[in-house]
Amino acid sequence: MAFVRWHGYGRPAGRLAGGALLMGLVWAFGIMLAACAAMCAWVVLAAWPVYEFGAFLTAGSVAGAVLGGAACARAAGRFGLLHGFITGLLFGLFLEALLFAGSPGSFTAAGLALRAAFLGVAGAAGGLAGVNLASRRPSFYAGRRYGK
């Protein structure tokens, strides 16, 4: 038994699962919004002034990319690295578009591309873990086109 499954055993590789990518993006944005809600609660409930959130925003976005990539790859059941990378990259590009729209002069294009690529790699790591998680039920896309 191999540690990493690239695709289902005995079946052709197939295509990317669009529904799984969408589910991974929903997970990524959900994790990021939960982190933002926790930071908002911290500001409201803290007895002292709170000023710096850069590290927490970075940690929330990386956690969103990793867990979104894992959810996407687990739902797809195949191509874990690719599904996770695309989920993380799309998540990163959307966050970078929001950053650029908010303050276009303060970020360089190379810096934004590097951040989006880093979130893509984080999503790929999550996708590698997600496709190899033991599941009690078959993945949603496992038997749809291959006659299971």
Side-chain angles (χ1 to χ4, degrees), residues 120-140:
V121 170
L128 182 63
V131 79
N132 289 302
L133 286 176
S135 178
R136 294 182 190 178
R137 60 185 175 89
S139 73
F140 179 73

Side-chain angles (χ1 to χ4, degrees), residues 6-15 78-79 142 145-147:
W6 296 105
H7 56 79
Y9 300 108
R11 293 192 309 244
R15 298 185 331 208
R78 61 184 190 272
F79 295 131
R145 285 182 286 232
Y146 307 117

Side-chain angles (χ1 to χ4, degrees), residues 28-136:
F29 285 115
I31 297 297
M32 183 69 187
L33 287 177
C36 288
M39 287 183 281
C40 181
W42 184 16
V43 168
V44 169
L45 298 175
W48 56 87
V50 179
Y51 297 109
E52 185 60 40
F53 280 120
F56 295 117
L57 285 173
T58 302
S61 62
V62 170
V66 168
L67 294 176
C72 173
R74 182 171 175 166
R78 61 184 190 272
F79 295 131
L81 282 173
L82 185 60
H83 278 99
F85 180 77
I86 291 174
T87 299
L89 187 65
L90 290 175
F91 176 64
L93 288 175
F94 184 77
L95 287 181
E96 302 308 324
L98 288 177
L99 283 174
F100 189 72
S103 57
S106 61
F107 296 104
T108 64
L112 291 176
L114 185 64
R115 290 177 189 195
F118 176 72
L119 288 177
V121 170
L128 182 63
V131 79
N132 289 302
L133 286 176
S135 178
R136 294 182 190 178

